[in-house]
């Protein structure tokens, strides 16, 4: 039976952020994730989780200046110190929130950059982060993202993520597999999930095109949910989509899935 986590960055945007925890619980979710916790005090977030009986499933490492378009800093040689400070900050929050997974958004490559050098810096940074997080029993994830929505994003293919895992040589580095992003980039979702299941620690969803809720596009989510069960995926599925209307109005797919399982 899939375990669904509400992505509070994308869902329940009708409400102030701290009110989204209660809304997620009321809608039947048992876990939550969101991009970044750092704008809030750890105790405030922990109180929301405990009050509503929710599991903090995932958050990201600090990713640079988000409002300026940065989507991670792990590929930049001149920001290694900043990256390492961010790892320690992420650990501090993850410990407080009992969050056992942290995702690294690797960054957008400058048009004239040397890809070999960017990859070399990334491998070194991931090795540092994987080791630091392992000491706290927190998994490090990396996420391929499509280059239509985020032009120039350095990590944009499943096989590229698999190669990074091999290059880093850490038992604590895993893949965050976003079905929407990989449908845009490469398709063949079911076979890819099965092939790399041992290294996929977290799955996210949205339909395509539009990045809206399941059932609004081309992806056969009822099949994929059954398939994930069949191949033995036991992790969370993060609902990281843009509701077509309101969040609650778009949750029919979730209610149906809950009834079926």
């Amino acid at each position: 039976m899939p375990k669904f986590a509400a992505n509070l960055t994308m869902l329940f945007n009708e409400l102030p952020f701290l009110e989204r925890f209660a809304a997620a619980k009321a809608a039947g979710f048992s876990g939550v994730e969101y991009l970044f916790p750092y704008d809030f005090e750890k105790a405030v977030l922990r109180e929301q989780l405990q009050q509503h009986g929710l599991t903090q499933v995932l958050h990201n490492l600090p990713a640079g200046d988000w409002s300026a378009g940065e989507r991670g800093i792990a590929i930049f040689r001149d920001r290694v110190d900043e990256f390492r400070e961010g790892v320690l900050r992420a650990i501090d929050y993850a410990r407080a929130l009992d969050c056992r997974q942290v995702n690294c958004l690797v960054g957008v490559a400058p048009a004239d950059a040397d890809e070999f050098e960017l990859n070399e810096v990334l491998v070194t940074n991931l090795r540092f982060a994987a080791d630091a997080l392992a000491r706290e029993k927190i998994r490090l994830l990396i996420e391929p993202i499509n280059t239509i929505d985020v032009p120039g994003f350095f990590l944009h293919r499943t096989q590229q993520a698999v190669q990074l895992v091999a290059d880093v040589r850490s038992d604590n580095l895993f893949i965050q597999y976003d079905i929407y992003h990989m449908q845009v980039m490469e398709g063949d979702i079911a076979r890819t999930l099965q092939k790399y299941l041992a290294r996929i620690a977290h799955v996210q969803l949205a339909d395509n095109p539009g990045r809206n809720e399941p059932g609004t596009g081309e992806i056969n989510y009822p099949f994929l949910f059954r398939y994930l069960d069949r191949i033995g995926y036991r992790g969370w599925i993060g609902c990281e989509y843009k509701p077509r209307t309101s969040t609650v109005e778009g949750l029919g797919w979730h209610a149906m899935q809950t009834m079926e399982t």
Side-chain angles (χ1 to χ4, degrees), residues 174-235:
F174 297 87
I175 297 169
Q176 176 171 307
Y177 188 86
D178 188 303
I179 293 170
Y180 164 74
H181 286 305
M182 292 302 93
Q183 174 71 1
V184 172
M185 292 304 295
E186 56 194 34
D188 204 17
I189 301 299
R191 188 155 40 192
T192 302
L193 284 165
Q194 183 176 36
K195 183 174 182 180
Y196 299 116
L197 182 66
R199 266 324 202 193
I200 294 173
H202 189 62
V203 171
Q204 290 180 322
L205 63 76
D207 218 326
N208 183 61
R211 204 177 184 181
N212 303 130
E213 53 265 66
T216 59
E218 66 185 357
I219 302 174
N220 187 345
Y221 271 108
F223 165 79
L224 282 178
F225 294 148
R226 293 191 299 270
Y227 185 80
L228 283 165
D229 272 347
R230 189 161 70 248
I231 65 175
Y233 177 72
R234 298 294 179 259

Side-chain angles (χ1 to χ4, degrees), residues 28-105:
F29 290 99
S30 55
V32 295
E33 62 179 36
Y34 37 87
L35 287 179
F36 307 108
Y38 311 112
D39 287 342
F40 298 91
E41 293 293 331
K42 298 186 292 291
V44 172
L45 296 172
R46 184 171 62 245
E47 180 183 5
Q48 288 297 316
L49 293 167
Q50 293 176 345
Q51 179 180 348
H52 301 294
L54 293 166
T55 298
Q56 174 78 32
V57 173
L58 176 81
H59 63 76
N60 294 320
L61 294 176
D65 189 344
W66 195 263
S67 62
E70 291 189 326
R71 294 296 183 265
I73 59 173
I75 56 176
F76 301 117
R77 189 175 300 280
D78 61 347
R79 300 179 75 173
V80 169
D81 289 343
E82 181 184 352
F83 176 83
R84 293 188 174 198
E85 290 170 4
V87 170
L88 299 181
R89 192 177 185 200
I91 288 172
D92 186 37
Y93 269 83
R95 287 167 58 186
L97 303 177
D98 196 24
C99 179
R100 311 320 300 173
Q101 302 185 127
V102 172
N103 181 46
C104 174
L105 295 170

